[in-house]
Every structure is written in C-alpha cells, then in structure tokens.
Amino acid sequence: QVQLVESGGGLVQAGGSLRLSCAASGRTFSGYAMGWFRQAPGKEREFVATISWSGGYTYYADSVKGRFTISRDNAKNTVYLQMNSLKPEDTAVYYCAVGVGRATQSPYDYPYWGQGTQVTVSS
C-alpha cells in the first residue's frame, strides 16, 4: 500500500518561509516524477511544481516561479517544497503526489496522493 505523508505546513506571516516535506513509502518509486499541488477554499486543485526522477527537470506554476523550489532525495523517497516570500494568496492545502512517468502539470498523471498539509499565510 502506497503512503505519502506531508509535513511542514503551518501559519506564517506574509514574506515568510516554510519548507514542506513528503515522504513516500509502500513501494519503489524508481523513475517516477513527484509533484506538489494545492487547493484553496472554494477553488479547484491547482498545479504548483513538479520534479523528474533524476531531479534534472523541474517546472513551476507561474504564480510561484522564483519563490518556490522543489527538490527530492531519492534515497529517502522524499520530495520537498521550499516556499519563500509567501503571500496570502498561497494559503491552501498542499498535496504531494507521485506520478507514473514524466513530470507533468496534469493531476491525472499522478495516481498516488498524500492527505495534504495546511499552509496559511497571514497579511
């Protein structure tokens, strides 16, 4: 059984930073991309960032480009999201996901999802 456990969420003031972690277990994820998505109240889930298996390819939503950094440690089956210069509009539940191959923006390419971690940015 695949398990993805996110951590690192919380309450932070605008301009602050948080680092999210997502540990995967239950199977080998060799060759698989990993991604972060988020969902704000009343809005659809949206893509945030993705990273290839090797870490050599990353892609970000325009809204977070230059502020967020995705990285991974394959030895630990863990993906990270460093979030800097946070804004109130970044407030959402953040989900990590494991993809089936290439790193893409589509949530349909990610069959495994975590339970989410709340990030709240106060103004």
Side-chain angles (χ1 to χ4, degrees):
Q1 184 174 353
V2 175
Q3 278 194 317
L4 299 176
V5 180
E6 300 102 334
S7 61
L11 173 64
V12 64
Q13 288 189 329
S17 298
L18 284 174
R19 188 193 193 208
L20 305 184
S21 300
C22 173
S25 63
R27 61 161 292 167
T28 178
F29 295 101
S30 177
Y32 286 14
M34 298 185 79
W36 287 96
F37 294 77
R38 67 186 182 186
Q39 187 167 18
K43 294 187 177 181
E44 293 186 354
R45 190 170 298 189
E46 66 174 358
F47 167 79
V48 175
T50 185
I51 187 168
S52 63
W53 162 252
S54 69
Y57 173 82
T58 58
Y59 188 78
Y60 299 90
D62 288 342
S63 58
V64 306
K65 202 171 295 182
R67 300 187 297 122
F68 291 10
T69 302
I70 189 171
S71 61
R72 66 189 294 166
D73 183 340
N74 290 337
K76 297 180 179 179
N77 267 353
T78 300
V79 64
Y80 305 96
L81 186 68
Q82 177 67 43
M83 306 185 295
N84 299 328
S85 303
L86 282 162
K87 305 175 181 180
E89 50 263 45
D90 293 319
T91 295
V93 177
Y94 283 71
Y95 299 89
C96 73
V98 176
V100 294
R102 297 185 305 113
T104 74
Q105 302 176 58
S106 172
Y108 298 104
D109 292 330
Y110 296 81
Y112 305 108
W113 292 80
Q115 293 293 96
T117 184
Q118 176 71 46
V119 171
T120 303
V121 184
S122 63
S123 57

